[in-house]
């Protein structure tokens, strides 16, 4: 059997075939090429070796590889030497006539040629250009070593009327292969002819579309490089390259010495933060002197707190391995719990009973001679503190001094308590972009990077730290050059933010004239006011839970009505979308205890929960009907799996309308959230029962990828741009047709990189954190739907979210 290298399938690109005596050599070369093109859709096939270890070439295997690599735009074959060339020639003879005409055997060097060819093919070059790039693959090395250089030397003067700029290359190793590949990919994505030269050495101008020619420039760290472009998108090309150079050509390593390590976390909340590292400090807790409410109730408080701390620790443990094992064990320590119980039975309240028992255990560890065991006292105190905070509802996120807050993870309460005046940004060792705590950071406009790894916790307090919440980059003790580049980037972002804010209240219309509503997700009237200030066209999601949690009884109809009216008032009569209560196994209500479930995320949540508590749902529907008499209201049900559930819920809505009297309010629209993959695939079956569907990509992603949304160990996997999730979104848009509006209200809607893909699939409403509204509107305005739809088709064929994110963003004005 011919060995094959599986690569992303794509339409309309030149394919590559690697013919070598050694399969290991061919695989390694393809690995290097993949690194250059970061998941772009270039079909690369291997025909190499007799098997994994024996050397040899086989003409039949080569014909199969050529056929597999061919997408209709031609195939370039790279070979090592001797019989590889003979076998490739024979293979060409064996091909069918039409395919043979599309194949070029390339004399270029195998490794360098393959890299240059892959970058050119990824940038959309035609077959002959790809082959020419491969042929000139040795140019960089020849130039470096002072020999004659392959390829055409005459590349023009670079003079002319086109826009130009000079950038300084910040990368530690200069413009080596990877950053050069980024430059080529970007230059090729514009309708422009772009040339560059090394101003430092006075080199000739070379085309920025050629990796092999750029390699001849010898651009080192700190060198100034001139860029000049001509053609319809010349200005955008030059600006894009200036921005790319400012981002150190998207290399994550630190830009220059001396400086500390760089890390790559996950982009979680946009914005650049620079400041001294600040770790959470545990301010002493005040244990209030309140009388106990009786042993049963006090023990219940301990039980609840134990469950919540266990859950938090389990999440941290999933990301950090055994660090938190000792903490988890302490929560089950029979001796400790027996003492807490006997103190409670003797009349103490839960907090002092817990504090006294844990202080005793910590004291015992401290008294031991063995330094390891002595140090366990710190573990006991940490758990004791965490439990007390859970018991008293006091967040731990107390920082002293302003700067970049570093923590393992944050609870929603801690995220809510942060002072944006003090906290320039948040760096989490673990955490996930769709966790509710991180959603809160985004809502509050605090830049954040999550999943940076346990090493982040070791950064000493006061060490200068910089992060970019849009890219996930983190720099520890950055050099002056890197800081200057980051500040420049921050200025660029601020300018773009200002421009977006200036037209935030105008409708967002794509370049080809299709309006896309951009709404806001809110959980309070204050957030609704922020949404209005940031130009939201509507409220696309009210998380009504905020009114139901942390209290001893459910709010009545009047209280709910007043709350939705206050939100509607902030929006000045624009549409609001009320989601019925979305609680359940993972978010239990104190006053309506639910049975403990093995898998709460797969349990009685959302609409499943409220249908089992009809009194609760009936009150909520009545409040909605009352408000809908005066303002346009969309009502939506979360966590829907079957049509039956919707029919049942709609029947209860009819009852609420009858209870209120006066018929169904004219502006009332009814919809469902699509969060369950089965519901996405059955979208057509729901269409007759709904006016709209709003896709909750946070939950849809966790269910589609079987990756719990709050689990930091799976944060990279749970990315809504995974093609599996995109296919579900496509299924919804295709399934419901024109009559039913499709919205997205999960966090993916606020990801600017996702906007062309979602709208390309047919989504016509996006609901995002209030502060993200202006930027998302700008992303819509930059989108050309016809081109975006083509990119979307490619995205659906990609293997994973990383490959989708690496696609050049065609279909947007700022293609990059
Ligand atoms: C979602 O799941 O995408 C969503 C918007 O709902 P929540 O984040 O409140 O679960
Ligand atoms: Mg949800």
């Amino acid at each position: 059997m011919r060995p094959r290298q599986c690569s992303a399938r794509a339409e309309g690109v030149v394919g590559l075939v690697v013919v070598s005596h050694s399969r290991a050599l061919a695989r390694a070369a393809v690995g290097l090429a993949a690194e250059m093109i970061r998941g772009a859709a270039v079909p690369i096939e291997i025909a190499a070796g007799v098997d994994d270890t024996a050397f040899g070439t086989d003409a039949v295997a080569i014909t199969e590889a050529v056929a597999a690599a061919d997408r209709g735009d031609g195939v370039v074959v790279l070979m090592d030497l001797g019989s590889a060339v003979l076998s490739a020639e024979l293979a060409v003879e064996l091909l069918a006539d039409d395919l043979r005409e599309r194949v070029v055997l390339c004399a270029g060097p195998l490794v360098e040629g393959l890299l240059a060819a892959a970058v050119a093919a990824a940038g959309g070059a035609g077959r002959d250009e790809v082959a020419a790039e491969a042929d000139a693959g040795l140019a960089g090395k020849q130039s470096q070593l002072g020999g004659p250089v392959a390829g055409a030397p005459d590349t023009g003067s670079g003079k002319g009327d086109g826009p130009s700029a000079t950038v300084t290359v910040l990368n530690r190793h200069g413009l080596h292969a990877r950053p050069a590949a980024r430059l080529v990919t970007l230059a090729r994505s514009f309708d422009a002819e772009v040339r560059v030269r090394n101003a430092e050495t006075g080199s000739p101008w070379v085309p920025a579309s050629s990796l092999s020619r750029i390699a001849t420039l010898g651009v080192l760290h700190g060198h100034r490089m001139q860029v000049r472009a001509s053609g319809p998108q010349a200005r955008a090309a030059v600006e894009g390259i200036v921005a790319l150079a400012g981002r150190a050509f998207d290399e994550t390593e630190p830009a220059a010495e001396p400086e500390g390590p760089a890390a790559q976390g996950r982009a979680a909340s946009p914005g650049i933060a620079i400041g001294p590292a600040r770790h959470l400090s545990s301010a002493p807790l005040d244990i209030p002197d309140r009388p106990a409410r009786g042993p049963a109730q006090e023990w219940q408080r301990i039980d609840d707190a134990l469950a919540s701390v266990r859950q938090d620790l389990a999440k941290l443990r999933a990301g950090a391995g055994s660090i938190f094992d000792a903490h988890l064990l302490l929560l089950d320590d029979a001796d400790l719990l027996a003492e807490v119980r006997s103190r409670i039975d003797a009349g103490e309240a839960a907090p002092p009973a817990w504090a006294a028992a844990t202080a005793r255990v910590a004291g015992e560890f401290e008294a031991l001679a063995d330094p390891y065991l002595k140090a366990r006292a710190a573990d006991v105190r940490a758990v004791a503190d965490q439990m007390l905070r859970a018991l008293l509802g006091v967040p731990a996120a107390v920082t002293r001094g302003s700067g970049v807050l570093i923590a393992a993870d944050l609870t929603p309460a801690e995220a809510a308590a942060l002072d944006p005046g003090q906290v320039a940004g948040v760096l989490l060792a673990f955490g996930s972009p769709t966790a509710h705590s991180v959603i809160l950071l985004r809502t509050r406009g605090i830049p954040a990077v999550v999943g940076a790894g346990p090493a982040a916790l070791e950064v000493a307090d006061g060490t200068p730290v910089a992060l970019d919440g849009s890219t996930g980059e983190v720099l520890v003790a950055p050099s002056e050059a890197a800081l200057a580049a980051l500040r420049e980037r921050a200025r660029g972002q601020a300018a773009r933010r200002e421009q977006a804010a200036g037209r935030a209240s105008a409708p967002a219309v794509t370049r080809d004239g299709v309006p896309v509503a951009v709404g806001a997700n809110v959980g309070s009237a204050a957030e609704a006011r922020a949404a209005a200030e940031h130009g939201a066209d509507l409220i696309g999601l009210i998380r009504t839970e905020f009114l139901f949690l942390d209290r001893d009884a459910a709010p009545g109809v009047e209280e709910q009505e007043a709350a939705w009216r206050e939100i509607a008032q902030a929006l000045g009569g624009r549409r609001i979308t009320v989601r019925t209560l979305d609680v359940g196994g993972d978010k239990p209500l104190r006053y309506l205890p639910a049975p403990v479930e093995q898998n709460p995320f797969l349990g009685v949540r959302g609409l499943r929960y409220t249908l089992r508590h009809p009194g609760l749902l009936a009150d909520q529907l009545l409040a909605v009907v009352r408000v809908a008499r005066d303002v346009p209201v969309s009502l939506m049900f979360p966590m829907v799996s079957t049509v039956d559930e919707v029919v049942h819920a709609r029947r209860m809505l009819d009852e609420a309308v009858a209870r209120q009297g006066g018929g169904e309010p004219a502006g009332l629209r009814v919809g469902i959230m699509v969060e369950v993959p089965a519901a996405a695939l059955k979208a057509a079956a729901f269409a007759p029962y709904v006016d709209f569907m709003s896709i909750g990509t946070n939950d849809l992603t966790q269910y589609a990828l079987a990756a719990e949304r709050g689990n930091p160990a799976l944060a990279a996997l749970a990315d809504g741009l995974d093609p599996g999730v995109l296919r579900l979104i496509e299924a919804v848009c295709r399934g419901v047709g024109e009559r039913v509006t499709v919205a997205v209200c999960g966090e993916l809607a606020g990801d600017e990189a996702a906007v062309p893909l979602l709208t390309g699939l047919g989504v016509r409403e996006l609901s995002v954190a209030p502060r993200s509204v202006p930027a998302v509107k700008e992303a819509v305005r930059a989108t050309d739907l016809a081109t975006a739809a083509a990119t979307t088709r490619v995205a659906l064929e990609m293997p994973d979210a990383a490959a989708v994110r690496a696609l050049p963003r065609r279909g947007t004005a700022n293609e990059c």
Side-chain angles (χ1 to χ4, degrees):
M1 245 339 261
R2 171 182 70 80
R4 291 185 54 166
Q5 165 73 34
C6 292
S7 65
R9 287 196 289 114
E11 305 289 330
V13 284
V14 173
L16 304 175
V17 170
V18 180
V19 179
S20 166
H21 285 73
S22 158
R23 196 171 292 176
L25 171 64
R27 282 187 180 144
V30 171
L32 270 176
E35 175 86 353
M36 294 296 121
I37 59 176
R38 297 211 292 192
V42 178
I44 308 179
E45 298 285 331
I46 287 175
V50 174
D51 57 31
D52 275 359
T53 50
F55 296 149
T57 56
D58 172 0
V60 175
I62 298 169
T63 59
E64 288 175 15
V66 168
D70 179 47
R71 297 289 186 276
D73 280 16
V75 175
V76 173
V77 181
L78 290 125
M79 301 144 280
D80 57 16
L81 67 175
S83 68
V85 182
L86 295 175
S87 299
E89 283 178 326
L90 177 57
V92 171
E93 303 269 304
L94 297 174
L95 291 172
D97 288 351
D98 67 324
L99 181 51
R100 186 183 313 122
E101 280 167 15
R102 294 199 291 277
V103 176
V104 176
L105 299 186
C106 174
L110 184 72
V111 177
E112 294 89 341
L114 176 65
L115 265 50
V119 173
R127 184 197 61 180
D128 293 341
E129 201 184 342
V130 171
E133 268 295 280
D135 267 335
L138 288 180
K141 220 151 64 180
Q142 289 163 336
S143 157
Q144 171 87 19
L145 299 176
V149 174
D154 177 21
T155 56
S157 67
K159 290 206 177 93
D161 294 334
S164 66
T166 301
V167 298
T168 301
V169 173
L170 302 167
N171 303 56
R172 188 199 297 251
H173 301 297
L175 201 63
H176 64 95
R178 267 193 315 265
R182 297 289 99 77
L183 172 60
V184 172
T185 307
L186 180 64
R188 282 186 169 277
S189 71
F190 293 103
D191 184 6
E193 191 183 331
V194 187
R195 287 171 186 278
V196 290
R197 76 189 278 261
N198 186 342
E200 219 68 40
T201 61
S203 77
W205 289 88
V206 302
S209 55
S210 167
L211 185 66
S212 42
R213 306 305 297 284
I214 289 175
T216 64
L217 297 182
V219 179
L220 303 177
H221 166 70
H223 278 188
R224 287 168 306 116
M225 187 173 73
Q226 281 174 284
V227 186
R228 187 180 289 288
S230 59
Q233 290 188 306
R235 184 159 304 283
V238 171
E239 284 172 6
I241 291 169
V242 169
L244 182 69
R247 302 198 304 269
F249 295 87
D250 289 344
E251 272 209 294
T252 52
E253 75 173 2
E257 304 202 59
E259 64 190 328
Q264 183 68 37
R266 292 210 59 201
S269 177
I272 287 174
I274 300 173
R278 299 285 179 221
H279 290 265
L280 287 185
S281 67
S282 21
L285 272 166
D286 246 1
I287 299 178
D289 189 15
R290 293 218 188 93
R293 299 176 215 161
Q297 272 204 44
E298 295 300 331
W299 185 249
Q300 184 60 48
R301 290 176 72 191
I302 295 281
D303 250 1
D304 291 348
L306 281 172
S308 114
V309 172
R310 254 189 219 115
Q311 204 174 28
D312 289 348
L313 286 175
K315 277 184 190 154
L316 290 175
R317 185 177 173 277
S322 57
I323 300 175
F324 294 99
D325 276 0
H327 293 202
L328 271 166
L329 281 176
L330 271 163
L331 295 178
D332 289 326
D333 187 291
D335 180 49
L336 173 68
L337 293 179
E339 178 171 347
V340 175
R341 174 126 233 173
S342 76
R343 284 175 176 276
I344 284 179
D345 287 343
E348 277 186 45
W354 178 264
T358 48
R360 195 250 319 148
V361 177
E364 282 174 10
F365 274 114
E366 213 140 50
L368 296 171
D370 181 302
Y372 175 79
L373 291 174
K374 208 178 169 74
R376 293 310 97 208
D379 286 337
V380 178
R381 288 214 183 83
V383 178
D385 188 80
Q386 205 174 345
M387 269 290 289
L388 278 175
R389 287 176 196 283
L391 280 168
L392 299 167
V394 177
V398 182
T399 50
R400 294 210 184 83
S402 57
V404 175
L405 173 69
I406 300 182
D409 201 352
L410 290 178
T411 65
E414 287 164 352
L418 294 180
D419 173 2
Q422 293 272 302
V423 179
V426 170
L427 173 61
L428 297 183
F430 311 108
S432 148
T434 51
H436 282 112
S437 53
V438 178
I439 293 176
L440 265 169
L441 294 179
R442 259 196 302 280
T443 304
R444 309 191 64 216
I446 300 175
V449 170
V450 304
L457 299 175
E458 276 150 35
V459 176
D461 227 66
T463 310
V465 172
L467 60 83
D468 185 341
S470 313
T471 62
E473 268 169 277
V474 180
L475 297 177
V476 178
S479 66
E480 262 319 306
L483 268 182
L486 213 55
R487 287 201 186 99
E488 186 56 41
R489 205 191 300 175
R491 273 193 288 278
Q493 287 182 2
R496 279 197 296 281
R497 260 200 312 275
E498 207 170 305
Q499 188 188 28
R503 46 190 189 187
S505 48
V509 179
T510 65
R511 277 155 72 189
D512 37 1
V514 177
V516 175
V518 180
N521 298 343
V522 302
S524 67
E527 284 177 19
R529 284 190 282 277
E533 270 164 35
H534 289 93
D537 299 326
L538 76 160
I539 296 294
L541 165 64
I542 303 177
R543 289 189 165 96
T544 58
E545 299 81 81
F546 79 92
L547 211 54
F548 288 75
L549 298 170
D550 293 327
R551 52 195 290 164
D552 293 323
V557 177
E558 282 70 28
E559 186 178 345
Q560 293 186 57
E561 185 187 340
W564 318 149
R565 280 192 190 283
E566 200 183 344
I567 286 174
Q569 202 173 14
L571 265 284
R574 272 162 282 167
R575 181 166 286 277
I576 63 168
T577 307
V578 181
R579 173 174 78 181
T580 59
L581 188 61
D582 187 14
V583 295
D586 64 318
K587 279 184 269 176
L589 292 180
R590 241 198 324 267
Y591 43 91
L592 278 178
V596 175
E597 296 175 315
Q598 286 281 346
N599 291 301
F601 277 118
L602 303 181
V604 183
R605 301 185 58 191
L607 184 59
R608 302 170 186 180
Y609 183 94
T610 44
L611 285 177
R612 283 170 167 80
H613 296 91
L616 209 63
L617 184 56
D619 280 359
Q620 202 160 34
L621 295 176
L622 186 59
V624 166
V625 170
R626 287 183 184 170
V627 178
R629 297 240 168 278
D630 305 315
V631 272
V633 176
S634 293
L635 167 72
M636 73 180 174
F637 302 110
M639 273 294 289
V640 171
S641 319
T642 66
V643 171
D644 246 15
E645 291 168 340
V646 182
V647 170
H648 192 159
R650 286 209 70 134
R651 209 177 302 129
M652 290 188 64
L653 176 64
D654 291 342
E655 284 163 18
V657 170
R659 199 166 140 199
Q660 179 61 24
E664 187 164 316
L668 182 64
R669 296 171 68 209
V670 181
I672 60 168
M673 285 193 74
V674 180
E675 298 174 286
V676 177
L681 298 171
K682 296 185 293 186
F686 290 98
Y689 301 91
V690 295
D691 303 307
F692 69 97
M693 291 194 184
S694 187
I695 304 177
T697 46
N698 304 336
D699 279 316
L700 186 65
T701 305
Q702 78 163 339
Y703 296 131
L705 288 155
E708 191 196 314
R709 62 193 270 184
N711 186 336
L714 303 175
L717 180 61
D719 186 329
L721 280 189
D722 185 280
V725 180
L726 294 178
R727 280 171 182 269
L728 289 168
I729 298 172
E730 186 206 23
V732 175
C733 295
R734 208 165 6 91
V736 299
E738 296 285 302
R739 198 187 68 81
V740 175
T741 309
V742 178
V744 170
C745 65
E747 292 308 301
L748 191 63
D751 181 341
E752 287 163 55
V755 169
L757 294 169
L758 295 175
T759 51
L761 286 169
V763 171
R764 292 293 174 265
E765 181 187 311
L766 300 163
S767 193
V768 303
R771 282 171 195 273
S772 304
V773 170
V776 170
K777 282 194 170 185
E778 288 292 285
V780 170
R781 291 180 188 124
T783 297
D784 172 71
L785 278 184
T787 327
T791 307
T792 303
R793 281 196 292 281
V794 176
L796 293 177
E797 298 291 334
M798 292 287 110
D800 52 34
V804 173
R805 289 191 181 279
L807 284 175
R809 274 189 274 146
R810 289 172 205 266
T812 66
N814 40 351
E815 297 172 1
C816 60

